[in-house]
Amino acid sequence: QGKVTVNPALKGVTDNLIPKLCYAMNKEFEPMASEAMALCLSEIIKLAGPECLTDAFAADVMKSISVTWDEYVPRFDHRHDSLEDDGEEDIAAAVEAAGEGDVDALDAVIALFGQLVRARKESIWNLFQGYHNTFFKSVTSHHNSIRRVGLCLYIELLEGLAEAAEAYIGQMASMLINACNDKYIAVKQAAVFGLGICCQFGGASFAPHVPALLQFVQSAVATPVEEDAQGHFKDNAVSAVAKALQYQSQACGDAGQVISLVLSNSPLKFDVEEAVHVNKVLCSVIETGAIQALGSPSLWMHKVLSVFTSQVGTDACNAELQVRFGA
């Protein structure tokens, strides 16, 4: 490979802005300001690419992520104690409502972390390990939003590492499976989305966990959808099974049951990105003949045609799928 040429003007901008934004993030803790700075840093890393992100800059960004996290997460405990002293009846709901801005800031920090992971795949795990305890305690928080953002940060790590994540997925799979039983629907959605990522990138390391994923989803999809949050959760659960079918077929057991689980819960109605993926998996199942595991075409053809025709003309049917649907 040839030597990568770094745009001098762009490098000059990043060399100037990254240290200043990191410094500001470590000092300014108003939620909208933190959110804006994190998003700005995220865009700089995305546009500049890894060539402009030196080891020192990566360490500075990771430190700023940790400092911001350490500032906002404890605020939920402080609010809880304060509201308890004030005699608030529904303390949990009041804490969540008061912390919406803080959660927005943390979500922006997670997006920044995702960009950092993608830019520093080779070295991010060692860099992250120094801050692991800061983030891991969020996953077991008694505050719903904090458990969600904690999981989302780890999922960003797995998704950003992509194929390089296989070495670490064994350590995280049990955490995600346990979180699928959380009482808060947004935590469950994050967990099952993360398990889909594990299916995709986990290889043999995740194969032993596939039966637990399938068992959970079979139970989860039986619950009627009464609100959008449940719909998004169900869509992510079905998509996780589709990813198991695509990337972990040897661990899926009865292929007919797994294909039926995906097909019977299609089309997805709430998450367009996951709907596209599930539609592609259904196309592959038909194109490879794997759908014969369901038996005679008379048993499944009507459902397949119903799913495909309902998707044509929607965002869940991109140019590739239009061709495959018509094949």
Side-chain angles (χ1 to χ4, degrees):
Q1 292 183 340
K3 186 177 180 180
V4 176
T5 301
V6 178
N7 184 318
L10 184 57
K11 189 173 189 309
V13 172
T14 57
D15 287 356
N16 184 47
L17 286 180
I18 290 177
K20 289 182 177 178
L21 281 168
C22 287
Y23 178 82
M25 279 187 70
N26 295 343
K27 299 293 183 181
E28 174 59 59
F29 300 113
E30 191 282 322
M32 291 183 67
S34 293
E35 180 182 3
M37 289 185 289
L39 292 175
C40 185
L41 262 175
S42 182
E43 280 300 304
I44 289 171
I45 294 172
K46 179 180 179 180
L47 293 172
E51 296 80 18
C52 292
L53 191 68
T54 65
D55 290 344
F57 283 168
D60 286 346
V61 173
M62 191 70 238
K63 178 181 177 182
S64 294
I65 290 170
S66 176
V67 168
T68 306
W69 201 272
D70 264 341
E71 170 64 29
Y72 285 107
V73 169
R75 291 184 181 185
F76 281 72
D77 285 330
H78 298 156
R79 289 192 187 99
H80 183 279
D81 294 342
S82 177
L83 289 166
E84 192 172 45
D85 291 341
D86 292 342
E88 176 72 35
E89 290 186 8
D90 192 347
I91 295 176
V95 169
E96 293 290 329
E100 287 181 359
D102 296 342
V103 171
D104 289 341
L106 290 171
D107 280 332
V109 165
I110 292 169
L112 169 59
F113 178 66
Q115 287 298 337
L116 180 63
V117 173
R118 288 164 178 80
R120 306 294 297 188
K121 279 186 183 181
E122 298 80 6
S123 59
I124 191 62
W125 184 261
N126 289 335
L127 186 59
F128 178 75
Q129 283 297 91
Y131 298 95
H132 170 68
N133 290 337
T134 295
F135 302 116
F136 185 74
K137 60 188 178 185
S138 300
V139 176
T140 58
S141 169
H142 57 273
H143 302 296
N144 296 338
S145 292
I146 298 303
R147 290 199 306 282
R148 179 190 67 78
V149 296
L151 276 182
C152 286
L153 184 127
Y154 279 93
I155 292 165
E156 280 287 347
L157 178 63
L158 295 179
E159 192 170 18
L161 286 171
E163 289 78 7
E166 181 175 357
Y168 315 113
I169 277 177
Q171 302 175 41
M172 299 192 192
S174 296
M175 175 180 75
L176 292 169
I177 289 172
N178 289 337
C180 283
N181 296 311
D182 197 278
K183 61 183 180 181
Y184 185 46
I185 193 72
V187 173
K188 295 170 69 162
Q189 179 189 335
V192 80
F193 174 80
L195 289 172
I197 298 298
C198 290
C199 287
Q200 185 172 355
F201 298 123
S205 297
F206 186 69
H209 301 281
V210 171
L213 166 64
L214 298 178
Q215 183 179 13
F216 168 75
V217 175
Q218 283 177 328
S219 173
V221 297
T223 303
V225 173
E226 297 178 352
E227 56 186 37
D228 285 359
Q230 291 175 318
H232 283 283
F233 162 63
K234 183 175 179 180
D235 280 5
N236 278 265
V238 175
S239 181
V241 174
K243 289 171 184 172
L245 194 59
Q246 180 178 4
Y247 299 106
Q248 299 280 346
S249 59
Q250 296 300 313
C252 282
D254 188 330
Q257 286 188 358
V258 180
I259 294 170
S260 178
L261 181 58
V262 176
L263 183 59
S264 62
N265 288 284
S266 296
L268 306 193
K269 299 177 181 178
F270 293 86
D271 193 316
V272 172
E273 186 175 347
E274 298 305 317
V276 170
H277 178 76
V278 170
N279 289 339
K280 288 181 179 180
V281 171
L282 287 175
C283 285
S284 296
V285 165
I286 294 168
E287 291 159 357
T288 61
I291 199 165
Q292 299 299 330
L294 296 181
S296 168
S298 63
L299 299 175
W300 50 262
M301 184 62 74
H302 176 75
K303 176 62 176 177
V304 168
L305 291 175
S306 174
V307 170
F308 284 1
T309 54
S310 72
Q311 301 288 274
V312 174
T314 71
D315 291 340
C317 180
N318 59 20
E320 175 194 335
L321 284 168
Q322 288 181 31
V323 174
R324 295 177 78 181
F325 281 178

